[in-house]
Every structure is written in structure tokens, then in C-alpha cells.
Amino acid sequence: MRFNISKKSYWKFLKEINFVGLKSIFFISSLVYFCIYFFDNFDKISFDINLEKSGINLSLSFLFCLLSIYLNAYAWKYIVKWFGKEFESNNLVSFYVLTNSLKYVPGGIWHFVERFNFIRKISNPQIALYSTLIEPYFMLSGSFLLASLGIIFSPLYSFLILPLVFLNRKLIYVVLKRLGSLKGRVFEVLRLPNSKDQFEKRINIISFFPAKALLLEIGFVLSKFIGFYICLNTFNTSNPLDIKFLLVMFSLSWTLGLVVPTAPGGVGVFEACFLFFVGSKIPHNTILVSLIYFRVISTSADLFLSFPFFIRKLFKRI
């Protein structure tokens, strides 16, 4: 009896925690940390680059960022197929690519809304909702799997494999229900119920484990990392770089940027976390310049591919 009372008190305490407020505090703290770091090293930073010498590297970084968006789009296509909807064309991939930059729009849900509406027209609302809602969890699982390579530094990194345990036909609804509570605003905007009965009636998962979608999400994170690593190598002139360490820290930092919805596209959070994790292993001016250039390149890739979508939306309003 005493155990039940303490257990109820524990869950009541968890429910009373304002996680949205904590995420906002984390986002603001990350921005402050990055700004302090930036202005403290401002006199050491130089954004001048020799385009003849570095232009090819920066162009390669941009191409890998473009590739990462397409890998992410194909991963979403296979997530939708895993939920039981087959597509004969690549319209799904194209639409994902076109709407990717909506993650930067205030609110952080408009890319979900556009993709939901697109799938609903050719399928049912449940496949549209759940395939869109679960996609960030696939990204998280893929990036955590890469970060778990840090087990060579510490056994604690093995815990990062845990999200994969839930990525199967038997347990996926547990994840979806939790995501639904975190993304409650999505349900409010779309006016959809989130029940297990609806899930089981309208979703027909075709295999136990979504291997193709997960592999593509891993490829997505790896492509992002390669784009960043090229930037870092461009501005690094002295210290040899440990690629395994950088991959682990990049994956962790990118994941933290992903799970903080207040940060559009992980802006500020990813940079601050990477600075914190890497510390003094790389010169401060090298890290800062690399992070800023990579953010510009990565965002430019999103906007470049989404430009036709915004033009189409603009002409519809005129």
C-alpha cells in the first residue's frame, strides 16, 4: 500500500513538471552559452576565406547537406510504407524535400501539418498522422545508434541503443502515445483522436522491424556529419582531428537540437552542445567558425530545395 502511494506521488510529480518550460529554458541557456563563447573569442575569429582554396570544400559540404535531406525524405517514404501504405512514385520524397524548411517557421509544427495533409489525401488520417509523428523518433534512434560508438570511450554510451528497443511492431504504439503527449499541439491543430483502437484499425505494419527506414536515417545523420567535418577540416590548420570522437559528439549534439522543439532546426542548441562537449580539444576559433559556416550551409540547403514550395504558396495567395 505504501508502495502504491509513493508510486502515485511519483507520477503526480512527473505530470506537474512543465517540460515545455524546461525546454524553453534549455534553448535560451544554449543561446546565451553560445553567445558568451562567441564574444569571448571574437578577437580570434576570422570569417575570411580563400574561395579558390576553400570553395570546393564548402561546395562539397553543401552537396552532402543536400544529400542528407533526400536520405531523410526516402526514410520517411519507407516509414509510410512500413505503416501499410505503398507508393508507386516518388511524390512523397519530393513533397518532403519541398516542405523541409518549414521546421524553421515559428511554432515548429507546420512541416508536420503539410505532410499530414499530403498523406491524408491519398491514404487515411491515421497513417498520415502516425507516419509523420514518428519520423523524428527514427532520426533520434539513428543518431543515438551512431553516438553509441562512444562505447569505446565509456560503457555508458551503450544506453543510447535503448530507443531501438521500442522501434518494432509490438512496442511502436508506446512511442507514438508518448510523442502524442509531447506534440499535443499537433493533435489540437489537426483535430484527431489518439487512441490504440484507431491505431490498430487503420494501421497495418508490414514487418517487425523497419530496417530500411532506420538505415536511411543513419545515412541522413552521417551525411550531415560529413558536411560538418568538411567545414571543420577547411578551417582546422593545426590539430589532428579524431573522427570517431567528433562523430559521437556531433550525433549527441544534433539529437539534443532535435528534441528541443523551441529550437527551429536545432539552431543554437546544436552549436552550444557541440562546443560544450568538445571543450578545449579543438581551438575555439576553429570550432566557432566551422559551426557558423555549417549552420549557414545546412540552412541554405534546406531553403534552396524548399524555394519552389514557397513560390507556389506565394502565388496562391496573390
Side-chain angles (χ1 to χ4, degrees), residues 82 166-174 196 205 207-208:
W82 189 56
F166 294 90
L167 205 57
N168 63 72
R169 182 165 49 197
K170 297 292 184 183
L171 298 175
I172 198 65
Y173 183 73
V174 176
K196 194 168 185 179
I205 293 177
S207 62
F208 182 76

Side-chain angles (χ1 to χ4, degrees), residues 74-89 91-92 115-116 118-132 202-207:
Y74 274 99
W76 186 48
K77 178 180 178 179
Y78 279 106
I79 291 169
V80 176
K81 289 178 71 173
W82 189 56
F83 278 137
K85 178 61 182 177
E86 186 67 44
F87 287 87
E88 295 180 359
S89 68
N91 289 344
L92 196 68
R115 291 165 189 170
F116 166 81
F118 183 80
I119 296 292
R120 186 177 59 174
K121 290 176 184 177
I122 50 180
S123 181
N124 65 64
Q126 275 64 44
I127 286 181
L129 174 65
Y130 292 122
S131 62
T132 304
R202 309 299 295 275
I203 302 293
N204 181 29
I205 293 177
I206 61 173
S207 62

